[in-house]
Amino acid sequence: MASTSRPNHIEEDDDVEEEVQHFDDFTLASSWERFISDIEATCRQWLADGPKNLVEKGAVAIEDSKNLFKVKYDLKNVTKSYCMEFYFQIDDNGSQRAGADNWNSSSHDLQLCFGVKDFLLIAPQSASGVLLDTPESSKLLSSVAIALSNCASLWPAFVPVHDPSRNAYIGIQNMGTVFTRRFEADRIGSQVPVKLMHLEGLYELFVSKFVYSGVDFSMHSFKVHFMMRLTYETFTSDEDDEISDMDEFMGDKSDTAEHHGSESRNKVHWDDDCPWSEWYSAEDPLRGFELVVTWADKTVESTLEMAELENASPHEAEKWILHPVLSPYLGEPSHGKRIDFSSQLLCLVDALDTSFTAQFMEDFVSVENSSSESLKTSVVIPPPTVLDRVIKDLFHAGSKLPNFTKGEHRLSRALKAAPLESLFTQFCLHSLWFGNCNIRAIAFLWVEFVREVRWCWEESQPLPKMPTDGSIDLSTCLIHQKLHLLSICIEKIREMNEEFVDCIGSDDSSDASVSMEENHKVDKRINRSSKADLQRKRDSSISEDTSNQLRFERKAESKNSVNQIRTDAFRRGSAGPVGTMMLLKSHQPLHAPFTQDPPLMTEDMHEERLQAVEAFGDSLNVPGQLEKDILLSDMSAFKAANPDAVFEDFIRWHSPGDWETSEPEAAEASAGSSTEGSKDKWPPHGRLSKRMSDLGNLWRKSWNDAPALTADDQKPLLDPNREGEKILHYLETVRPHQLLEQMVCTAFRGAADTLNQTNFGDMRQMTSKLEQLYLIIKSTLGVLQRNHVPDREQTVKDLRRLCVAFEHVEKLVTVAASLHRKFLDASRLAQVIFSDFYAVYVPMMGINSNDEDSKSSTEMELRRQEVGLRERQVVSNLFSPPSANQSWRKVLSMGNLLNGHEPILREIIFSTGDDVNNGIHYAAAADVAASGDRRGEEIETHRMYVSGTSNDLRVALSVTSCD
């Protein structure tokens, strides 16, 4: 028995061993099971790596969120391919975030809908990216749940379902126990039921998810946690323009005319009072504002409470968050799309580059003589009506002299250009907008400008926007100096004409007698005043003398008074005595004459004089005819004021350095012989210098030839007729590149001074940036102040880069001005928003706006700013009450209006919880906090997120249950 049984037992062992060797693993028998295994392996790998390592391995950051990343893995099951994405959040230091905020603006859509943190999203790789088959979506979600359960992961998983426009999802989450959390989201894109437009209906919708359907909600109370966030948006400028057009279309002709005369005209553009509004209207850099108003967690028990919340004012909310919306043009290169100073200055630089191709400005006016074929086809010449309007604005806008220091920065005078309010600067600024600032349009305008200047000269009409007196400012450009001198010449001719007319219209004999009598009266008054002054000086010194000395001096004075009166009677053109100086021969007071002002000269006239001096040398003689004429004029006026003067007297007054005084070796002072001593000291000890005492000295020869004539009787040193014609000849024959060089300098300074007038409050960054702009302009335009541009091509490139820098500063100025205007009573908000924008925009200033890779406005997202309680009224005023058409276009179906504006988005979170120990089996959520006053831990059993408006409603529900 044992022997027979043993072989049988051995045979059975061999069969078992043979069966083990041919074992088949039926867990991987199907393709779907292999699909689950693939998901599980991928999830295990992500869990093992952790968030920090996933970021280092190349996890992609979500564009709208700073702390949200994702990794993805492609899956394939038989004939279908899927993409599994894992979303996770980490802090800046690399550690994983503890939880997600309910109202975090940077949260993912699924995080906001279901209140989750890290999650999986599996979608088919198809055109729609969603699953349209319900059994397939359920099977896919079950497979993911099995894989996550196998690897002990608590990540929720979501699958997109239905039509893509519905933005619907289903999801599941293993809670680590026998409890499971299920998710579902869907959207109604149109025809939202009226009941669901109001908070009462939404409250009842949520309660219906955990209460029997037969319960009357109005007769029972259900405690529900409630949070709400409302988003308001100001009307953009495009909407306002569209609405105003609709108002004009809807109204009849009479109403429209009346409307244009009142509301439409009274409604100002945002920059109407900004300094640049005279030249162009800038688009508001702040396209609008989004205001997010949040009600914190509240507990409501009935629909009546929900109705009260719907009628509550947004001012009762716990938190206001303001988000500025920037205009897209701030981050886009201009490429000629916008009209502002920088774009037009760039056109002026192009005109400068073209100006080197012709000899005269008239060559660009005539198309036949134009050297460039492009000028015949591409340039734009405005119609004559535009030209007339510009000339009228330049020459007939008013005769009031402007303030040349207006808008002037402390660095403005470092630029060799004309003041902002001067005639030439106004011409340059007008030329920026005349025919798109092409060279031919500038030539047309310049020719007409010079023609109008000549008319003012020939008709002796004052030159507008130019002073009629004063000295020539050599720090300005040459054309401004010429126009200033021409204005002075016109004024002198006007004075000469008026005097001539007065002389013609009166009796010559009577006028002569009256004038002689008036001259004698004036001379007598001057002589009396000089005598009184001398008498007071003598009185002060006499007080220390004896009575005998006093009587002697009175006798001497009375003895000489007859001769002094006789001499004073012949003085003409005297400005009064010069201290105690006396004439050498007659011992009479030396009088200073009224002299002619030295002739005014522009910069090129000074250069001509210096060149003459260098050519003929500088000797003891007069270096030029102009200096000789001035000297003769001064000598003639001195002789008229001092008839008894000699050449030495003139030298003592006019050139004290050429009169050498010599003191006596010993001075014997005696109280009893003071009178004799004074006689011995006269004439004063002194002599002419060596150069004045040489034989053949031209000064002495000029003195002998000079007649005794007052300044009024002399020939004017400045011949206004001759100088005026020379100036007009210069303006008519100026080289095009010389004109354009001065125009570029003046236009840049005028545009910068205009921006400098902008009121942007106490924004120090803007003040510093404007100062930097002036320094850049000064360094770049320095090459244009020379007589010859060394490298034309490089100069044009530098000027174009300067236009780019000007564009950036101009954008900063408009943003600062817009913020300052909108937040006059909330300066903190204006400064905080501008500082945020400045930090985002300044790094872009180094990028050329003409480059294709320059940043777009989407990358210029500003941070959201919390609004203080005292600042809420200012922010509320940004939402101006809507007009009738605005209210008609946007049907008001929801409550919580802000100045008549309904929220563009309403977001609500309903939630309710239950105690684990009360016998109801609900699973605990990961972020539930324990409460000390409860018997156990409360869990969130139901959560519903509602988002939308009256025309759009989206609902996301999560339910925790025991399966």
Side-chain angles (χ1 to χ4, degrees):
M1 293 287 297
S3 59
T4 57
S5 61
R6 184 176 182 88
N8 294 335
H9 182 69
I10 294 175
E11 291 178 1
E12 290 178 1
D13 290 342
D14 292 339
D15 294 339
V16 172
E17 184 178 357
E18 189 175 333
E19 291 178 0
V20 172
Q21 291 177 354
H22 298 281
F23 175 76
D24 292 330
D25 188 359
F26 290 97
T27 58
L28 299 179
S30 66
S31 60
W32 201 257
E33 291 170 339
R34 287 192 295 270
F35 179 70
I36 295 175
S37 178
D38 198 5
I39 296 175
E40 180 181 345
T42 304
C43 292
R44 288 182 183 276
Q45 183 63 43
W46 289 343
L47 284 169
D49 289 338
K52 187 174 182 180
N53 291 331
L54 288 176
V55 173
E56 294 177 355
K57 289 183 177 181
V60 179
I62 303 303
E63 186 175 350
D64 297 333
S65 178
K66 297 180 180 179
N67 300 315
L68 187 61
F69 298 83
K70 75 172 181 179
V71 291
K72 66 178 182 178
Y73 180 76
D74 293 335
L75 302 171
K76 188 173 183 181
N77 179 35
V78 190
T79 59
K80 289 193 175 182
S81 298
Y82 300 90
C83 178
M84 182 171 64
E85 296 177 335
F86 173 50
Y87 291 80
F88 60 96
Q89 286 182 304
I90 60 173
D91 288 331
D92 295 333
N93 57 7
S95 61
Q96 193 166 9
R97 298 187 61 179
D101 187 6
N102 284 323
W103 300 125
N104 191 354
S105 59
S106 61
S107 297
H108 190 272
D109 178 59
L110 294 178
Q111 291 177 323
L112 191 61
C113 288
F114 301 111
V116 297
K117 182 182 58 175
D118 302 339
F119 62 92
L120 286 175
L121 178 62
I122 300 181
Q125 294 181 345
S126 60
S128 62
V130 297
L131 295 171
L132 304 180
D133 187 2
T134 302
E136 180 185 359
S137 61
S138 301
K139 187 176 181 181
L140 178 61
L141 192 61
S142 300
S143 302
V144 175
I146 294 172
L148 292 175
S149 178
N150 292 338
C151 58
S153 173
L154 301 181
W155 295 337
F158 300 97
V159 174
V161 294
H162 304 307
D163 186 78
S165 62
R166 293 172 60 175
N167 200 14
Y169 293 89
I170 59 173
I172 191 171
Q173 181 182 14
N174 181 14
M175 306 302 294
T177 60
V178 295
F179 305 109
T180 304
R181 198 177 190 185
R182 297 186 180 277
F183 309 97
E184 184 178 0
D186 207 342
R187 173 176 173 267
I188 302 176
S190 61
Q191 297 181 355
V192 178
V194 178
K195 183 177 182 180
L196 299 181
M197 295 179 185
H198 301 282
L199 295 183
E200 302 98 305
L202 296 174
Y203 169 78
E204 293 179 358
L205 175 64
F206 176 68
V207 173
S208 65
K209 300 300 178 180
F210 58 89
V211 177
Y212 293 110
S213 59
V215 177
D216 187 0
F217 298 135
S218 62
M219 301 299 295
H220 296 79
S221 61
F222 304 96
K223 290 185 178 181
V224 173
H225 297 282
F226 167 84
M227 290 184 292
M228 182 169 64
R229 183 173 70 171
L230 304 177
T231 302
Y232 299 88
E233 188 179 53
T234 58
F235 290 114
T236 62
S237 57
D238 296 338
E239 290 181 346
D240 291 339
D241 295 339
E242 181 182 350
I243 292 167
S244 62
D245 294 340
M246 182 178 293
D247 290 339
E248 297 176 7
F249 179 78
M250 296 293 290
D252 56 12
K253 294 183 179 181
S254 60
D255 294 340
T256 302
E258 183 179 357
H259 175 72
H260 277 302
S262 57
E263 295 180 5
S264 179
R265 296 307 180 191
N266 292 334
K267 183 179 180 180
V268 297
H269 199 252
W270 80 272
D271 63 343
D272 277 351
D273 57 350
C274 292
W276 63 77
S277 61
E278 179 183 357
W279 306 104
Y280 68 95
S281 181
E283 180 184 349
D284 195 341
L286 297 174
R287 190 174 186 180
F289 291 91
E290 286 185 359
L291 177 64
V292 178
V293 178
T294 305
W295 272 266
D297 192 2
K298 294 179 176 293
T299 302
V300 294
E301 299 184 4
S302 64
T303 56
L304 294 178
E305 294 183 29
M306 299 303 297
E308 293 177 0
L309 285 173
E310 185 170 338
N311 295 325
S313 170
H315 288 272
E316 301 176 9
E318 283 76 5
K319 182 182 291 187
W320 281 27
I321 302 295
L322 186 66
H323 179 218
V325 181
L326 299 177
S327 178
Y329 86 87
L330 291 174
E332 297 175 352
S334 62
H335 295 304
K337 298 177 182 178
R338 294 187 312 279
I339 300 297
D340 51 17
F341 277 132
S342 59
S343 62
Q344 300 309 112
L345 287 171
L346 185 60
C347 296
L348 185 61
V349 171
D350 294 337
L352 170 64
D353 191 22
T354 311
S355 65
F356 290 90
T357 61
Q359 293 294 322
F360 301 99
M361 293 302 292
E362 287 80 0
D363 296 340
F364 294 109
V365 174
S366 177
V367 179
E368 290 76 11
N369 298 331
S370 179
S371 59
S372 176
E373 290 294 332
S374 61
L375 294 178
K376 301 179 182 180
T377 57
S378 61
V379 297
V380 177
I381 302 300
T385 54
V386 178
L387 179 63
D388 294 341
R389 178 178 55 81
V390 173
I391 295 299
K392 181 178 180 181
D393 185 73
L394 287 173
F395 289 91
H396 309 290
S399 59
K400 184 178 179 181
L401 185 64
N403 181 15
F404 282 172
T405 61
K406 179 181 179 182
E408 190 176 74
H409 192 271
R410 64 182 184 86
L411 297 176
S412 292
R413 299 187 65 83
L415 307 177
K416 196 170 184 60
L420 176 60
E421 297 295 328
S422 65
L423 179 61
F424 185 60
T425 301
Q426 295 299 304
F427 165 81
C428 294
L429 294 179
H430 271 291
S431 66
L432 294 178
W433 321 100
F434 189 77
N436 200 22
C437 198
N438 61 78
I439 184 61
R440 190 157 178 250
I442 294 175
F444 265 96
L445 185 60
W446 175 253
V447 170
E448 190 65 26
F449 175 81
V450 175
R451 185 180 294 116
E452 196 71 20
V453 171
R454 176 168 284 280
W455 181 88
C456 293
W457 163 253
E458 294 175 350
E459 299 296 330
S460 299
Q461 295 298 318
L463 206 58
K465 300 179 178 63
M466 294 301 299
T468 58
D469 54 6
S471 59
I472 304 299
D473 188 359
L474 299 181
S475 66
T476 60
C477 63
L478 183 57
I479 292 181
H480 176 75
Q481 298 176 34
K482 295 286 187 182
L483 293 175
H484 188 185
L485 182 56
L486 181 63
S487 178
I488 294 175
C489 293
I490 293 175
E491 184 64 22
K492 289 186 177 296
I493 291 178
R494 286 170 58 87
E495 293 175 356
M496 294 169 58
N497 293 339
E498 291 175 359
E499 293 176 358
F500 179 77
V501 171
D502 293 340
C503 293
I504 295 298
S506 59
D507 188 11
D508 295 339
S509 59
S510 61
D511 288 346
S513 61
V514 171
S515 61
M516 287 295 295
E517 292 177 1
E518 291 178 353
N519 290 335
H520 283 299
K521 291 179 181 179
V522 172
D523 292 338
K524 288 180 181 179
R525 287 196 297 269
I526 296 175
N527 291 333
R528 289 195 191 102
S529 63
S530 62
K531 290 177 184 177
D533 294 337
L534 293 174
Q535 185 67 35
R536 285 194 295 271
K537 294 178 181 178
R538 292 192 181 98
D539 290 344
S540 62
S541 60
I542 286 173
S543 60
E544 299 178 357
D545 296 339
T546 60
S547 59
N548 293 332
Q549 293 173 342
L550 181 61
R551 285 194 297 271
F552 177 82
E553 290 186 4
R554 287 178 178 175
K555 289 181 180 179
E557 183 180 353
S558 63
K559 183 178 180 180
N560 296 329
S561 61
V562 177
N563 295 331
Q564 184 174 352
I565 293 173
R566 187 178 297 123
T567 302
D568 292 342
F570 296 96
R571 294 184 187 275
R572 292 175 295 122
S574 172
V578 183
T580 58
M581 293 183 65
M582 309 293 285
L583 297 176
L584 295 177
K585 298 297 183 182
S586 63
H587 199 196
Q588 299 297 322
L590 188 150
H591 282 237
F594 288 108
T595 60
Q596 293 191 63
D597 295 330
L600 301 175
M601 292 185 293
T602 58
E603 184 179 6
D604 58 338
M605 297 169 65
H606 282 285
E607 292 178 355
E608 291 176 1
R609 290 183 59 225
L610 293 177
Q611 293 174 0
V613 171
E614 293 175 358
F616 297 102
D618 188 9
S619 62
L620 298 177
N621 299 330
V622 179
Q625 184 63 36
L626 177 62
E627 286 78 2
K628 184 178 180 180
D629 294 341
I630 296 175
L631 184 63
L632 283 173
S633 175
D634 292 346
M635 288 179 173
S636 298
F638 187 84
K639 282 185 175 182
N642 302 279
D644 298 331
V646 294
F647 178 67
E648 287 77 5
D649 293 324
F650 177 77
I651 295 299
R652 292 166 59 212
W653 169 72
H654 191 276
S655 181
D658 288 318
W659 178 257
E660 299 176 354
T661 59
S662 59
E663 297 296 335
E665 296 180 359
E668 298 178 356
S670 174
S673 60
S674 60
T675 304
E676 291 80 7
S678 62
K679 292 181 179 180
D680 294 337
K681 294 179 182 180
W682 189 261
H685 298 280
R687 61 184 179 183
L688 294 174
S689 64
K690 182 179 179 181
R691 75 167 188 141
M692 289 298 176
S693 57
D694 289 343
L695 296 176
N697 181 267
L698 292 180
W699 282 56
R700 185 178 291 277
K701 182 180 179 181
S702 300
W703 172 264
N704 296 331
D705 296 340
L709 294 175
T710 62
D712 294 336
D713 297 333
Q714 298 174 14
K715 178 182 178 181
L717 292 176
L718 174 67
D719 187 351
N721 291 287
R722 182 185 63 186
E723 295 299 332
E725 289 296 337
K726 289 171 62 178
I727 292 171
L728 287 170
H729 176 73
Y730 168 81
L731 296 178
E732 292 170 347
T733 59
V734 63
R735 293 291 184 265
H737 69 90
Q738 294 177 351
L739 171 63
L740 267 296
E741 288 169 3
Q742 298 181 61
M743 287 182 63
V744 168
C745 295
T746 302
F748 268 103
R749 174 181 169 176
D753 286 345
T754 301
L755 296 181
N756 187 56
Q757 298 179 16
T758 307
N759 185 10
F760 44 74
D762 187 20
M763 297 182 184
R764 298 180 181 179
Q765 306 99 320
M766 198 64 256
T767 304
S768 174
K769 239 9 178 189
L770 280 173
E771 186 169 337
Q772 293 178 17
L773 177 64
Y774 277 101
L775 295 175
I776 296 174
I777 293 176
K778 176 185 175 182
S779 62
T780 307
L781 299 183
V783 67
L784 297 182
Q785 299 175 8
R786 307 170 188 171
N787 294 330
H788 176 69
V789 177
D791 189 350
R792 167 185 164 188
E793 183 178 355
Q794 183 61 38
T795 300
V796 172
K797 289 182 179 179
D798 293 341
L799 291 174
R800 286 172 178 167
R801 282 193 290 266
L802 178 60
C803 293
V804 174
F806 197 98
E807 177 186 355
H808 291 311
V809 177
E810 190 172 9
K811 289 179 180 179
L812 287 173
V813 170
T814 55
V815 173
S818 180
L819 285 171
H820 178 69
R821 284 173 48 85
K822 292 176 173 61
F823 298 100
L824 283 175
D825 297 328
S827 58
R828 185 198 68 85
L829 270 178
Q831 294 180 7
V832 170
I833 295 174
F834 182 77
S835 298
D836 187 23
F837 171 77
Y838 187 84
V840 174
Y841 187 77
V842 165
M844 298 178 55
M845 296 182 67
I847 302 176
N848 193 329
S849 293
N850 295 323
D851 292 342
E852 295 181 358
D853 58 346
S854 53
K855 294 184 179 180
S856 61
S857 59
T858 55
E859 299 181 14
M860 298 175 55
E861 187 73 16
L862 299 186
R863 293 179 300 177
R864 290 163 171 77
Q865 305 295 336
E866 185 171 356
V867 181
L869 291 176
R870 297 182 179 180
E871 299 168 337
R872 290 189 178 186
Q873 187 57 46
V874 177
V875 175
S876 177
N877 293 336
L878 297 175
F879 297 83
S880 57
S883 63
N885 283 328
Q886 290 171 338
S887 300
W888 171 76
R889 291 173 63 211
K890 298 189 175 185
V891 181
L892 302 180
S893 303
M894 300 187 297
N896 307 114
L897 301 182
L898 177 63
N899 291 345
H901 292 255
E902 70 173 359
I904 62 168
L905 179 64
R906 179 174 62 185
E907 299 171 277
I908 303 171
I909 296 178
F910 294 103
S911 63
T912 184
D914 206 342
D915 198 336
V916 176
N917 297 329
N918 67 355
I920 303 177
H921 301 286
Y922 288 106
D927 55 351
V928 174
S931 179
D933 59 345
R934 297 178 181 178
R935 293 185 297 114
E937 182 180 6
E938 185 180 275
I939 62 173
E940 186 180 75
T941 58
H942 292 77
R943 182 185 188 274
M944 187 172 74
Y945 170 81
V946 181
S947 171
T949 63
S950 58
N951 299 320
D952 185 10
L953 183 65
R954 187 182 184 197
V955 178
L957 179 66
S958 63
V959 179
T960 305
S961 61
C962 177
D963 293 338

